[in-house]
Amino acid sequence: MSLSTARSFLSEACYGEQELDANSALMELDKGLRSGKLGEQCEAVVLFPKLFQKYPFPILINSAFLKLADIFRLGNNFLRLCVLKVTQQSEKHLEKILNVDEFVKRVFSVIHSNDPVARAITLRMLGSLASIIPERKNAHHTIRQSLDSHDNVEVEAAIFAAASFSAQSKDFAAGICNKVSEMIQGLDTPVELKLKLIPMLQHMHHDASLASSSRELLQHLVNSYPSTPMVIVSLHTFTQLAAFSLIDIPKQLQLLLQYLKDDPRKAVKRLAINDLKLLAKKAPHLWIRENTQTLCECALTSPYNSLKLGMLAVLSTLSGTIAIKQYFSNMTGGSSVPPRLTDLVKLAQECCYHSNLAVAAHGVIVLSNIAVSCPEKDIVQLEQDTVLGVESLLMLCSQDSSPSAQATLKTALTSLVKMLKSRPHLSQSAVEFLLGQLHLSCDSSRVLMCHALAAIATHLPVLGDGMLGDLVDLYRVASHSSTGKQQELLVSLATVIFVASQSSLSSDVKTVIKQQLENGANGWTVYRIARQASRMGCHEFSSELYQSLRTRVASEHFYFWLNSLKEFSQAEQCLSHVEDGDYSGAMSAIAEALRSYQKGIASLTAASTPLSPLTFQCEFIKLRIDTLQALSQLICTCNSLKTSPPPAIATTIALTSGNDLQRCGRISLQMKVCMDEFRSLAARYADLHQASFDADYATLRNVELQQQSCLLVSHVIEALILDPQAASFQEYGTLGSVQTESEYERRMMSVFNHVLEEHTGCLCDAVIALLKVPLSFQRYFFQKLQSTSIKLALSPSPRTPSEPIPVQSSQQLTLKVEGVVQHGTTPGLFRKIQSVCLNVTSVLQSKTGPDYKIPLDTKTNEIEQRVEPHNDYFSTQFLLNFSILGTHTVTVEASVVDESGTEWKTGPRTTVSVKSLEDPYSQQLRHQLQQSASQPAPQRGAYSRF
């Protein structure tokens, strides 16, 4: 019963549980550990990783690992094996163990067992703990001794532990290197054991001398033991060592290419190719032209497709890096060989038409990368060769729905889109070819081609009109089956149509799409198409689709979500009918849009749940509402110049006040209010941008554009109306009014008003121009592909949330802040956390001591620290001073810094109360002073003199 309770607790996916619940789960698992049945004990052990994932803080992890260490010490070998697996699964939580000495002591006691299997499991356990005990001498000594054991299981475990400690400890690696060398070179060591010992040498990279001696040993092994298994293991260890030490990579490249060229064994060649690919990813800048040339010659002469495929994979990796520029720039002897006559281009051209689709795909990748990065001379012929190669591969794969053909088709289309971005003059013919192939291809191929067409049309919108007719015809004849590929094709075709139509769908196109959706589309497909229409600015069409979907969902929250999307689309549709110069029409459109937006924000709030609060969506819509209100106010302000022109005494008021803008009347103050409002909106958009750490790049760019539009309007207001430099012509008017008659002054004022009216007209036109651009609801508004959150734990923590933490005023409080970074299914998809910025502030809320003037710096604490998370965990401490008696509120706020150094306000924000108390000694002194002050002074009488 206890384990079922623990399982039900640990199966929940949410993270918002209290510490009491986590302790309850630990107690339930502890009952299972203390059970007399082996099955219940094992079940309790294997549930611990879920507990660590559920509550990943040190105080619980430390207790749990100590309990596991007891089971390891007292249980049988099967239980020890379960504990070992749990430890290896929870490797990133090991550094949170607080009592490392006690934990290792309990585990290490099993090493003295007479059972070699128990000792072997203990050695593997120690190897798994190498990251937290890298310099434990007793563990080092035990591993060295176990390497001499006569039991094979124990020796293999010792090799595993030795490799783990060598990777972590420089001292252990230096000490074990000679022993490993003796065992490898010893005649009494079996070959199987040598094959397991050799990979340990890849960790001998801590200093140059150690790496050099290991490399000499490996070179000796490669020359002395020519058998296939020994050569394969030695070469791979050679490569791993070179990749870590970096300085030996050029030598390793030559060695691998030599084996690839001269060794006749396919297994050795295959190993050399895999290692070359590893070095191509690790250090492409170290590949000189001779290395690439040798690889090309081997690929040209190889009769085996599998080996040719591997070598082309290496070349395709290199072709996207700086190595390709080095290949074409460093021509031997200074001879100017045309690029298309080089062996690399010959190989790529030959492989583009290969019968093996994977070989042909890599040939296309190499050829397109060369066409993108090749020098300008002789580029026309290369472009034509690349386009022909891609088109032939597309024709071959487009009618084949097998996975290999679809993977090749995707590769070819990706290369084509990449090349067209750098060579846009080839886009027209490529689009015509793709449109022709669409009618002949299978559904899965059509989906990939639609993605390519959307990418091309997004980069070159001018091509959209030409492809629209063919796309609509294809949509009209699309089949009505409900298969997954057919549904995906409907979405992809609709997306390309939206991109090609540039947010202005004709009624015929809408009719065709609606008919197909009514015939064979499910609700999810309709929603995806509506979502794409919202992203592309086709709001009238998306509004109709959302309207049809509202009653087809089972959840109330989904209904409110779809209803809010429908209202937002209707609001943006109102703004699409604004025309140039129609200021009153713009005001009416904004008012109508605001009504729909207010209905939508109410539905959006109703659609939010505790697990899905829709924070970004609500804030984005609120900003859109405030932006429309500010634009409407700006038009009203501009129109007020006609309804309320400057008074006749405006010049006198301006001279009296010294503010030259007063001659414009009340519009100057109204314009200043508008300018401040737009700057405030820009700041709020910047805050939204800074809080959207998990957003995709297109969404962030959209928020930036909204911010820049607000900054633009504020800048235009300042430049045209409020800026003294732009309004400097009015200064001459001031001088003229003093020196000339009133008629001149009146005529000059009429000119000023005319100029001012032109400026206000410019502002109104700017507002209408902004309104005519349809708003794009980007992916993050609908879908979160990356999820990152931070969970903080403070110590000391109060017993109850409302109870303050007591601290004496003469002492300082050490506040320990621990945090865990929690990720979704795709961590680091758009950006990764480099460090976490913790800001701690304290504010005095209520004072209990004597009422005297307190310096400001003693009332508050404000400290900021940056910590780098390790294995998604970070910890730091703050020293806070509470010298003023009373209750203080301490706020800890976390923000993250990504790899580019940008700070993101992700939160969370945690608050605790601290009560500063008077220490006993100060309290005793104060009481003594009060008592001495309250006692009356002795009166002096006549007898006091004697």
Side-chain angles (χ1 to χ4, degrees), residues 898-916:
D898 63 10
E899 294 173 318
S900 63
T902 306
E903 186 172 350
W904 303 81
K905 301 291 185 183
T906 57
R909 185 186 180 97
T910 308
T911 303
V912 293
S913 295
V914 176
K915 189 170 185 180
S916 179

Side-chain angles (χ1 to χ4, degrees), residues 227-483:
S227 64
T228 300
M230 188 68 76
V231 170
I232 288 176
V233 173
S234 301
L235 273 180
H236 186 62
T237 306
F238 228 150
T239 303
Q240 295 285 351
L241 181 63
F244 278 117
S245 58
L246 297 179
I247 59 174
D248 296 320
I249 289 181
K251 296 180 182 177
Q252 185 63 22
L253 286 174
Q254 294 177 1
L255 180 65
L256 291 173
L257 289 169
Q258 177 186 347
Y259 271 91
L260 178 63
K261 188 176 182 179
D262 300 335
D263 200 299
R265 293 168 290 187
K266 289 183 68 174
V268 176
K269 288 179 180 288
R270 195 173 293 114
L271 183 277
I273 289 171
N274 290 335
D275 285 354
L276 284 170
K277 189 169 185 179
L278 173 70
L279 295 179
K281 293 179 179 178
K282 177 79 174 179
H285 57 284
L286 295 177
W287 283 69
I288 58 176
R289 187 181 190 280
E290 287 71 19
N291 300 143
T292 310
Q293 180 65 24
T294 304
L295 189 59
C296 292
E297 293 171 358
C298 293
L300 284 169
T301 57
S302 175
Y304 303 106
N305 284 345
S306 59
L307 296 180
K308 180 171 288 191
L309 176 62
M311 287 181 267
L312 275 171
V314 179
L315 289 171
S316 65
T317 303
L318 289 173
S319 64
T321 64
I322 195 174
I324 196 69
K325 295 183 181 295
Q326 295 178 352
Y327 179 81
F328 286 111
S329 62
N330 298 333
M331 297 292 183
T332 56
S335 59
S336 59
V337 180
R340 61 187 180 88
L341 298 180
T342 58
D343 288 340
L344 180 59
V345 175
K346 289 179 182 177
L347 174 66
Q349 289 173 339
E350 174 189 316
C351 293
C352 281
Y353 305 97
H354 202 278
S355 58
N356 189 316
L357 290 179
V359 173
H362 283 297
V364 165
I365 292 175
V366 173
L367 204 56
S368 62
N369 285 335
I370 292 174
V372 169
S373 59
C374 184
E376 293 300 324
K377 57 182 180 180
D378 201 37
I379 193 64
V380 177
Q381 186 63 40
L382 271 177
E383 290 175 352
Q384 294 176 356
D385 294 342
T386 307
V387 171
L388 289 175
V390 172
E391 289 180 354
S392 64
L393 194 57
L394 290 179
M395 293 180 64
L396 186 63
C397 299
S398 60
Q399 300 178 18
D400 188 354
S401 59
S402 63
S404 60
Q406 292 301 299
T408 303
L409 180 65
K410 186 175 182 180
T411 301
L413 289 171
T414 304
S415 301
L416 178 64
V417 171
K418 181 180 178 182
M419 188 181 70
L420 293 182
K421 284 185 178 180
S422 62
R423 303 284 186 261
H425 60 276
L426 301 173
S427 301
Q428 182 67 42
S429 58
V431 167
E432 292 174 357
F433 174 79
L434 288 176
L435 290 174
Q437 283 298 118
L438 269 178
H439 296 277
L440 308 174
S441 306
C442 59
D443 284 346
S444 54
S445 300
R446 286 174 176 176
V447 171
L448 296 175
M449 289 183 180
C450 287
H451 292 168
L453 284 171
I456 296 171
T458 303
H459 185 64
L460 292 170
V462 70
L463 299 176
D465 292 335
M467 65 174 72
L468 193 57
D470 290 329
L471 293 171
V472 174
D473 292 340
L474 186 62
Y475 212 96
R476 188 178 285 111
V477 298
S479 61
H480 299 159
S481 62
S482 59
T483 60

